[in-house]
């Protein structure tokens, strides 16, 4: 049985405060050290550092050493990607003859028991203990340069001042890291318990195969993260966990040929939106994501694409650019998601206020009310006009023509008052995120949502009549 974390948050807090004095390890806020701590916790099936016992740590040392003595780990992974020439883990190729689980166990124990030197500076990572007397280089701690590269740190300082406990924890990083696209991936989070969720799969893979996890063969770190987020939000209905969560991905390589790090920060509103989308409208969210590849994958191809190819929707979300255009599928004239998901995105991510959104939806409904009186082919042509607007004056003309149409059809109320018209066209113009193009996409969403079937029928007829080469249909589409 997996032990559950205490349900009562206040209890949890007081116990962690109480234990802070005695706990051997603490969360540090450093991704690599915290990743090592995550490995200890996952291996011991514990949830917070203060729950760890001496026995847990001893078992973890033995488990890690048993693996690290194997060739696939030492030369193929630790030396090649994380800690080149590591002496502690004996990944240095010159040590291959002496490398045994027992010898590595010995090194790790000694490291943990190393006496603190009170004259040494304070550890730059945890700030709790004195650092080791000698600085640490990249063979023992990823990405901190070598003794031969004194310009790595400010003031030509030599190496990293780190305490033996932080250094000990880093030695467990290889167990929880994912191998993604020829590099190593660590997902650092706040709250820290989310990191346990995101890295649990890595430890499970290690337990099953005795090999480091390859993240289901994902080649792109952000794609893997979005996939995990989707699964986790459906599994754990914990809004509180996502509401205040922060995630940063560290995708790096540290070997003798090169040291490189890519940092991907996931903006908080994007996390909240992804969690919401995966839970409230998973089909819609999948259709939106599928729009992010130039060639649309079929239902069967989706997972392959997701594992292998850069996705524009993910990239834009991470770059804090609008993904509104992906909510509609102009080619197939359909809304990709539910209005409620669009509304959540607009308010949570784009920062559009609820009233403005309601107003635009209302205008959309008035457009529908007008157009639905037309025969299919005319209906289709009018919508095409809106789809093709590229300039503000064309957008204006669409409304002016529609107003005339309403008069011709004998609809009593005007489409919009003058003030409303001005609002639609200009008042969002100042904000790049909420320009008239945003309004155009929202209106099209509403029109497609309500008139999709008739529009598609009309498009098919048009296609037959005009042999329109423009309407090619990619993929299979997703039928509900
Ligand atoms: Zn430390």
């Amino acid at each position: 049985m997996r032990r559950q974390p205490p349900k009562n948050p206040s209890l949890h807090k007081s116990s962690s405060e109480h234990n802070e004095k005695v706990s051997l390890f603490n969360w540090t806020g450093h991704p690599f050290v915290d990743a090592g701590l995550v490995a200890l916790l996952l291996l011991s099936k514990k949830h917070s550092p203060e729950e760890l016992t001496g026995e847990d740590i001893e078992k973890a040392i033995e488990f890690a050493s048993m693996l690290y003595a194997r060739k696939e780990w030492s030369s193929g992974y630790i030396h090649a990607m994380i800690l080149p020439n590591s002496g502690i883990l004996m990944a240095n190729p010159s040590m291959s003859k002496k490398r045994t689980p027992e010898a590595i166990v010995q090194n790790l124990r000694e490291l943990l028991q190393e006496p603190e030197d009170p004259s040494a500076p304070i550890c730059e990572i945890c700030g709790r203990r004195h650092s080791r007397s000698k600085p640490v280089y990249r063979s023992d701690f990823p990405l901190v340069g070598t003794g031969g590269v004194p310009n790595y740190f400010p003031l030509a300082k030599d190496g990293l001042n780190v305490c033996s406990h932080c250094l000990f924890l880093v030695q467990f990083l290889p167990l929880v890291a994912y191998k993604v696209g020829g590099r190593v991936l660590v997902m650092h989070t706040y709250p820290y318990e989310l990191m346990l969720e995101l890295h649990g799969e890595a430890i499970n893979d290690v337990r099953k195969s005795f090999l480091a996890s390859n993240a289901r063969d994902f080649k792109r770190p952000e794609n893997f993260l979005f996939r995990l987020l989707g699964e986790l939000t459906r599994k754990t209905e914990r809004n509180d966990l996502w509401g205040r969560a922060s995630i940063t991905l560290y995708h790096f390589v540290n070997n003798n040929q090169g040291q490189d790090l890519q940092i991907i920060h996931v903006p908080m509103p994007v996390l909240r939106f992804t969690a919401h989308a995966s839970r409230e409208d998973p089909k819609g969210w999948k259709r939106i994501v599928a729009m992010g590849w130039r060639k649309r994958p079929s239902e069967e191809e989706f997972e392959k694409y997701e594992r292998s190819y850069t996705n524009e929707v993910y990239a834009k979300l991470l770059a804090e650019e609008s993904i509104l255009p992906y909510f509609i599928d102009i080619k197939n004239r359909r809304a990709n998601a539910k209005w409620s998901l669009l509304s959540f995105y607009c308010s949570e991510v784009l920062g559009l206020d609820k009233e403005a959104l309601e107003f635009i939806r209302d205008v959309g409904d008035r457009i529908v009310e007008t157009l639905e009186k037309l025969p299919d082919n005319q209906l289709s042509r009018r919508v095409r006009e809106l789809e093709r607007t590229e300039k503000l004056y064309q957008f204006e003309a669409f409304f002016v023509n529609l107003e005339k149409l309403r008069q011709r059809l004998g609809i009593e109320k005007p489409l919009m008052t003058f003030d409303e018209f001005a609002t639609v066209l200009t008042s969002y113009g100042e904000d790049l995120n909420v320009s008239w193009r945003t309004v155009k996409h929202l209106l099209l969403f509403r029109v497609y949502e309500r008139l999709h079937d008739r529009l598609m029928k009309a498009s098919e007829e048009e296609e037959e009549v005009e042999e329109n080469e423009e309407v090619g249909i990619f993929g299979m589409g997703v039928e509900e």
Side-chain angles (χ1 to χ4, degrees):
M1 263 294 283
R2 194 178 155 95
R3 271 183 59 181
Q4 293 301 312
K7 286 275 182 285
N8 184 334
S10 63
L11 261 179
H12 186 55
K13 196 171 168 220
S14 69
S15 85
S16 76
E17 272 167 9
H18 170 74
N19 283 312
E20 213 164 6
K21 294 174 210 80
V22 290
S23 181
L24 198 54
F25 304 115
N26 297 279
W27 297 110
T28 63
H30 190 288
F32 301 160
V33 174
D34 287 347
L37 185 50
V38 164
L40 291 188
L41 291 172
L42 287 170
L43 283 173
S44 329
K45 297 188 164 63
K46 302 275 168 78
H47 290 88
S48 58
E50 50 271 27
E51 293 171 50
L52 285 172
T53 64
E55 196 188 338
D56 293 334
I57 294 163
E58 188 56 30
K59 274 189 184 155
I61 290 176
E62 283 169 18
F63 181 71
S65 304
M66 177 266 289
L67 296 172
Y68 292 175
R70 297 160 77 116
K71 202 161 161 264
E72 312 84 78
W73 285 78
S74 71
S75 57
Y77 180 43
I78 296 171
H79 175 68
M81 294 169 95
I82 306 180
L83 301 165
N85 301 327
S86 164
I88 300 171
L89 302 183
M90 306 183 80
N92 190 324
S94 71
M95 294 172 148
S96 63
K97 293 241 158 57
K98 291 181 289 177
R99 186 188 305 135
T100 60
E102 295 73 27
I104 299 175
V105 164
Q106 191 61 26
N107 287 349
L108 288 172
R109 277 190 199 139
E110 276 171 16
L111 179 59
L112 189 59
Q113 286 152 11
E114 206 171 77
E116 224 177 318
D117 173 3
S119 66
I122 293 295
C123 171
E124 287 164 11
I125 287 174
C126 66
R128 288 169 184 266
R129 295 166 49 87
H130 291 277
S131 57
R132 306 177 86 198
S133 2
K134 276 196 212 147
V136 166
Y137 305 117
R138 69 158 183 248
S139 56
D140 294 323
F141 196 107
L143 301 176
V144 294
T146 65
V149 190
N151 62 353
Y152 190 85
F153 288 97
L155 307 174
K157 187 178 148 293
D158 182 29
L160 174 72
N161 291 324
V162 60
C163 74
S164 56
H165 284 192
C166 289
L167 188 61
F168 174 82
L169 288 177
V170 161
Q171 310 306 311
F172 293 86
L173 179 150
L175 294 175
V176 282
Y178 292 101
K179 289 205 271 188
V180 176
R183 287 171 170 229
V184 174
L185 174 66
V186 169
M187 297 181 264
H188 194 243
T189 71
Y190 184 84
Y192 296 116
E193 58 179 312
L194 189 54
M195 209 171 163
L196 298 177
E197 300 282 352
L198 291 173
H199 280 277
E201 181 169 328
I203 285 284
N204 289 342
D205 284 351
V206 169
R207 280 209 179 97
K208 263 184 257 162
S209 67
F210 295 112
L211 291 171
S213 173
N214 72 349
R216 310 179 204 175
D217 218 15
F218 270 78
K219 306 284 184 252
R220 313 278 323 171
E222 70 279 14
N223 291 16
F224 183 53
L225 173 78
F226 278 108
R227 164 44 76 101
L228 283 182
L229 285 178
E231 291 172 359
L232 284 173
T233 40
R234 283 192 292 272
K235 200 178 79 185
T236 59
E237 303 224 331
R238 295 273 311 272
N239 272 328
D240 58 318
L241 199 60
W242 308 104
R244 61 202 168 103
S246 147
I247 301 186
T248 308
L249 307 190
Y250 296 83
H251 192 219
F252 71 95
V253 66
N254 181 54
N255 59 29
N256 288 330
Q257 286 70 46
Q259 305 84 41
D260 194 33
L261 167 68
Q262 183 197 13
I263 298 177
I264 305 172
H265 179 66
V266 188
M268 220 183 269
V270 169
L271 262 184
R272 268 206 301 277
F273 166 70
T274 314
H276 180 89
S278 315
R279 210 167 30 227
E280 303 301 329
D281 189 3
K283 279 186 183 166
W285 175 226
K286 196 172 174 183
R287 276 195 293 265
I288 291 170
V289 172
M291 298 278 293
W293 290 295
R294 195 144 297 162
K295 183 180 178 305
R296 215 83 60 72
S298 67
E299 184 76 358
E300 299 75 40
E301 287 170 327
F302 187 94
E303 287 196 12
K304 189 186 122 207
Y305 275 50
E306 195 188 25
R307 279 197 304 273
S308 316
Y309 308 126
T310 313
N311 183 288
E312 274 176 30
V313 173
Y314 294 156
K316 284 192 189 286
L317 279 173
L318 293 173
E320 303 192 68
E321 289 171 24
S322 170
I323 60 159
L324 202 54
Y326 302 91
F327 274 81
I328 51 174
D329 179 351
I330 293 187
K331 193 152 276 168
N332 295 306
R333 306 185 116 179
R334 68 184 294 165
N336 280 328
K338 296 179 190 162
W339 178 271
S340 59
L341 184 63
L342 179 77
S343 161
F344 189 90
Y345 176 75
C346 287
S347 57
E348 291 289 318
V349 184
L350 293 185
L352 185 64
D353 73 72
K354 282 243 155 61
E355 259 171 53
L357 193 64
E358 292 298 311
F359 167 64
I360 296 169
R361 177 163 72 170
D362 191 40
V363 173
D365 286 344
R366 285 181 244 167
I367 295 175
V368 169
E369 163 200 271
T370 316
L371 295 182
E372 66 188 359
K373 297 202 188 328
L374 295 172
D376 286 351
N377 59 340
Q378 287 183 34
L379 165 79
S380 175
R381 214 174 315 132
R382 291 279 175 167
V383 175
R384 186 81 69 210
E385 223 180 281
L386 179 58
E387 287 165 350
R388 287 182 177 164
T389 50
E390 287 297 332
K391 299 274 189 305
L392 184 58
Y393 75 86
Q394 296 168 323
F395 193 53
E396 277 172 27
F398 170 77
F399 287 104
V400 173
N401 291 337
L402 207 64
E403 195 64 72
K404 287 185 192 157
L405 177 66
R406 277 173 86 92
Q407 288 168 10
R408 211 164 59 231
L409 292 169
I411 302 174
E412 273 184 23
K413 267 176 64 188
L415 180 67
M416 280 185 274
T417 65
F418 182 78
D419 284 350
E420 287 172 336
F421 189 49
T423 307
V424 164
L425 294 183
T426 60
S427 72
Y428 307 122
E430 296 297 311
D431 184 346
L432 263 188
N433 273 332
V434 198
S435 69
W436 69 269
R437 285 174 203 279
T438 301
V439 179
K440 170 188 158 179
H441 285 123
L442 293 171
L443 291 176
L444 274 176
F445 186 100
R446 193 60 175 164
V447 170
Y448 290 160
E449 206 183 21
R450 301 209 21 211
L451 298 175
H452 168 74
D453 291 345
R454 284 191 61 197
L455 283 168
M456 282 317 281
K457 214 172 119 212
S459 304
E460 276 165 28
E461 281 164 14
E462 262 174 47
E463 208 176 358
E464 277 165 30
V465 178
E466 299 169 23
E467 288 182 328
N468 190 346
E469 74 279 4
E470 185 194 26
V471 190
I473 297 182
F474 283 125
M476 306 295 290
V478 185
E479 293 305 326
E480 277 186 295

